[in-house]
Amino acid sequence: MMNNERTSVAVAGGGPAGMVLGLLLARAGVEVTVLEKHADFLRDFRGDTVHPTTLTLLDELGLGERFAALPQRRVQQLRGVLDGGTVTIADFTRLPGAHPHLALVPQWDFLDLLAEAAEAEPTFTLIRNADVTGMLRAGGKVTGVRWTDRVSGEEHELSAALTVGCDGRGSTLRAAAGLRSRAFGVPMDVWWFRLPRHADDVEGGLGRFSTGHFAVMIDRGDYWQCAYLIRKGSDAGLRAAGIQTLRDRFARLVPWMADRVDALESFDQVQLLDVRLDRLRRWSTDGLLLIGDAAHAMSPVGGVGINLAVADAVATARLLGPSLRSSGSVAPAELRRVQARRWWPTVVLQSLQRVAHKVILGRALGFDPDAEHTSVTSLPLPARLLERFPALRGIPARLVGVGPLPEHAPEWARRPRTLHAHR
């Protein structure tokens, strides 16, 4: 038996973009239902950075103090260790505003905070264990979604005036709509794994770059979240060589962590991120809008994906909220306005990522990391400039922490600052 329901806006995906959009639309008085595939948010996310513009958004929504009460690490600088020395790449203290830092917070805590705030709004509904399997259509218009309860197996149809896909780069709605994307080649994939952190280790974010090797380490308090870059498509062959190969490579790249690489007992502890970089030519069709990674899959370079997706959600709510509240519907032209607003900042960031792929990562990953190489004892010109002129460190800090077009909460969504116990 098919269960039929109705809402004004159906949001597929309860990640940062979906939860921010659901909260903002609910504060506009719009009936919104967010469909989250999992039972909770307790998963091992890798993108746990909350950027200055998102921290400002939380302040505007009255959630800043509640967020500040969450366990977190704050990063004021990003440093890179090259063969020729250490360079400060980005200095967030040079940014204006109340949050000159990145906040490293488990994403499940961040999403729980958003869900708790949204569920205080009478027009908001969050349905968990809801696996979106397809779309409803009528006369060429998208009129909602089909979803299956992952616990009971029951099938449902949720009719909606607007459906928004926030379901990531593997978006079911993106595939069902048949919207075409432009893909950009990438030279790498990423292995993610954890290594123990000692009390006397350096703090914050750290990148280590050498010939044939790239790694980024994120300080999570009691452990390091490590990202080790490998050549695109080389995962299967490297895994076949055994876990000791990864241990040896990482110990050579980061010698001060050689005493703990044995914590990697097998490749079961190493997750592969199949890196993609693409962008839809058209983000919407009548009744359907895609935002975040569903519209533009981002490379992990710079860690800007979450910040960009949240900005998409804020712009969507600001541009569409008033029409949805007054008339209960939006025209295709209004959906195109969201893409027009968010297109150029997406293009700018993806273009910078493509340059980094080609000029830095592609060339370096072309070398065999297990072969003998002569260490480069001098810093490259960009690094020397960052060391000589510290003010330049504010440029990458702004690109990473703020982005080309920061978005702010509309007035109707703002609330006074309050502090509540976090559940």
Side-chain angles (χ1 to χ4, degrees):
M1 180 178 295
M2 187 70 70
N3 295 283
N4 299 304
E5 300 103 11
R6 181 166 185 81
T7 188
S8 293
V9 179
V11 178
M19 294 307 303
V20 168
L21 178 60
L23 170 60
L24 292 177
L25 289 179
R27 287 190 174 182
V30 176
E31 186 180 18
V32 56
T33 300
V34 176
L35 301 167
E36 166 54 36
K37 184 176 181 178
H38 299 91
D40 52 44
F41 301 121
L42 289 172
R43 296 182 297 287
D44 187 19
F45 296 97
R46 273 124 5 221
D48 289 357
T49 53
V50 181
H51 293 229
T53 48
T54 303
L55 294 171
T56 299
L57 173 69
L58 292 171
D59 286 343
E60 294 167 348
L61 298 177
L63 303 175
E65 292 184 14
R66 293 164 66 178
F67 180 86
L70 298 177
Q72 60 189 268
R73 307 279 287 186
R74 295 185 176 184
V75 176
Q76 294 182 318
Q77 294 181 330
L78 296 179
R79 297 183 299 277
V81 180
L82 292 79
D83 292 339
T86 300
V87 60
T88 300
I89 299 171
D91 184 356
F92 297 102
T93 64
R94 295 183 176 275
L95 297 179
H99 303 286
H101 59 266
L102 301 180
L104 303 180
V105 177
Q107 196 173 118
W108 53 80
D109 285 339
F110 178 46
L111 294 176
D112 278 338
L113 184 152
L114 294 173
E116 182 180 336
E119 287 171 334
E121 304 296 328
T123 59
F124 177 87
T125 301
L126 173 62
I127 304 178
R128 302 176 188 265
N129 290 307
D131 188 5
V132 174
T133 57
M135 297 187 306
L136 305 177
R137 294 179 182 269
K141 179 179 180 179
V142 176
T143 58
V145 297
R146 292 186 179 87
W147 65 275
T148 300
D149 188 314
R150 299 182 72 195
V151 176
S152 67
E154 292 182 338
E155 296 182 345
H156 298 254
E157 290 186 349
L158 178 62
S159 299
L162 173 64
T163 299
V164 184
C166 302
D167 48 346
R169 59 190 189 140
S171 171
T172 297
L173 296 181
R174 174 175 172 164
L179 296 175
R180 297 177 59 192
S181 64
R182 180 184 179 187
F184 307 99
V186 295
M188 81 288 192
D189 290 324
V190 178
W191 278 343
W192 285 97
F193 52 89
R194 296 182 181 187
L195 288 176
R197 184 182 180 279
H198 296 170
D200 57 351
D201 287 349
V202 295
E203 296 183 355
L206 185 67
R208 175 67 177 102
F209 313 110
S210 185
T211 305
H213 290 279
F214 279 87
V216 175
M217 294 170 288
I218 303 171
D219 177 2
R220 295 292 175 82
D222 57 350
Y223 69 93
W224 289 101
Q225 182 77 60
C226 302
Y228 182 77
L229 277 62
I230 60 175
R231 286 196 297 273
K232 188 71 177 176
S234 65
D235 173 69
L238 291 172
R239 285 178 185 265
I243 193 66
Q244 189 61 42
T245 300
L246 174 56
R247 292 178 188 147
D248 293 343
R249 285 187 177 189
F250 203 80
R252 287 199 305 272
L253 182 63
V254 192
W256 56 270
M257 296 189 76
D259 62 347
R260 63 198 85 172
V261 294
D262 286 344
L264 289 174
E265 297 178 359
S266 75
F267 269 109
D268 291 340
Q269 298 166 269
V270 180
Q271 295 180 320
L272 173 69
L273 172 63
D274 179 14
V275 177
R276 299 184 205 166
L277 186 65
D278 64 34
R279 184 172 66 242
L280 287 179
R281 291 177 168 84
R282 186 160 53 93
W283 297 10
S284 64
T285 187
D286 194 4
L288 172 70
L289 173 68
L290 300 175
I291 61 173
D293 275 2
H296 44 74
M298 305 296 291
S299 160
V301 170
V304 296
I306 292 177
N307 204 38
L308 191 63
V310 168
D312 286 356
V314 176
T316 300
R318 181 173 55 81
L319 293 172
L320 304 183
S323 292
L324 288 165
R325 178 176 53 197
S326 61
S327 66
S329 64
V330 288
E334 293 178 276
L335 300 181
R336 291 193 292 270
R337 287 178 59 201
V338 176
Q339 179 176 347
R341 170 77 180 180
R342 299 304 308 164
W343 177 265
W344 75 263
T346 301
V347 170
V348 167
L349 291 175
Q350 288 189 329
S351 297
L352 292 172
Q353 290 184 332
R354 292 172 65 193
V355 170
H357 291 168
K358 182 176 181 179
V359 175
I360 303 173
L361 301 180
R363 292 179 181 177
L365 291 172
F367 292 92
D368 182 357
D370 297 318
E372 292 294 330
H373 298 292
T374 302
S375 295
V376 179
T377 57
S378 62
L379 292 173
L381 178 60
R384 295 200 304 271
L385 290 174
L386 287 170
E387 287 300 288
R388 183 170 182 180
F389 303 104
L392 294 177
R393 302 170 188 167
I395 298 174
R398 183 169 184 84
L399 288 171
V400 170
V402 178
L405 184 62
E407 302 284 355
H408 293 276
E411 290 297 328
W412 43 261
R414 301 191 180 203
R415 298 289 187 274
R417 297 178 68 182
T418 57
L419 179 62
H420 298 290
H422 178 64
R423 291 201 297 262

